[in-house]
Amino acid sequence: MKSHSDSIFWKVVSGELPLSKAAETLGWQFDRYDELNGVVHVNYRVTGALLNPVGNVQGGLLSAMLDDCMGPAVYLTLPPSKIALTIESKTQFIRTARPGTIRGEGKIEHSKGGLFFTSGKLIDTDGKVIATSSAIFRESKLRWKGLVIPDSIAEGVIRWKLRRIANRL
């Protein structure tokens, strides 16, 4: 799918908009976008804060990492006035993950009627797959307290909200 050069995603990658606190916590870093194959490549710097009591990355956090590499594949295709909501996600855990760098890949497999069917995988530094996922995202207009935000001001609202959250925490 074709990337929108003015998408929210590219504004976050360029530093024009702040990275979400969730992505910061996960150690999210953009690597590259392979437009030919439609694959977003990201890296996660995993610290001890993400580990369970036996020293492995907690499974729910691996699911969050997968969501945070499939979601950008969708956001790349959306104009800045649209958002994507995860409406279903399934994760398959293949092996344990340890602190260090984890590579993530996310892509859109199919889209229809405002729904995006995605896949993702996490890979360790030895090239072994840690976990895979499939998810469905729904394209939506930005809403504020139940009201649809007009396209002409939606980007400004998103920019304001992200900066407000970044400054609060």
Side-chain angles (χ1 to χ4, degrees):
M1 299 193 91
K2 186 78 173 141
S3 170
H4 262 273
S5 61
D6 62 344
S7 73
I8 293 169
F9 176 78
W10 287 123
K11 290 179 181 184
V12 170
V13 167
S14 72
E16 187 178 335
L17 290 174
L19 189 61
S20 74
K21 290 297 181 186
E24 283 181 17
T25 300
L26 295 173
W28 187 95
Q29 297 176 315
F30 177 70
D31 181 18
R32 69 187 185 283
Y33 175 55
D34 175 358
E35 191 163 3
L36 181 64
N37 295 303
V39 179
V40 173
H41 297 267
V42 299
N43 293 310
Y44 296 95
R45 283 196 206 169
V46 177
T47 66
L50 304 182
L51 304 182
N52 63 23
V54 295
N56 298 318
V57 179
Q58 197 273 339
L61 296 170
L62 293 172
S63 293
M65 289 176 188
L66 285 158
D67 187 69
D68 232 3
C69 57
M70 293 181 291
V74 176
Y75 268 95
L76 281 167
T77 69
L78 299 178
S81 61
K82 301 282 183 153
I83 60 171
L85 306 169
T86 309
I87 61 172
E88 181 179 294
S89 181
K90 179 181 178 185
T91 301
Q92 300 82 39
F93 302 102
I94 298 166
R95 62 180 34 87
T96 58
R98 307 287 294 158
T101 300
I102 294 176
R103 292 184 298 127
E105 297 177 6
K107 69 181 286 187
I108 297 170
E109 298 291 345
H110 177 73
S111 66
K112 182 177 181 176
L115 294 177
F116 296 86
F117 301 84
T118 64
S119 65
K121 63 182 171 180
L122 298 176
I123 304 158
D124 66 18
T125 53
D126 294 327
K128 295 179 181 173
V129 176
I130 297 166
T132 62
S133 184
S134 60
I136 303 171
F137 291 80
R138 184 184 70 211
E139 178 182 334
S140 183
K141 289 185 175 252
L142 183 63
R143 295 181 177 273
W144 188 263
K145 298 187 179 187
L147 301 173
V148 174
I149 302 295
D151 287 353
S152 59
I153 62 169
E155 183 181 354
V157 170
I158 291 170
R159 184 183 310 269
W160 170 77
K161 188 71 174 166
L162 285 171
R163 286 198 176 122
R164 185 171 168 222
I165 291 168
N167 290 332
R168 189 173 356 149
L169 299 174

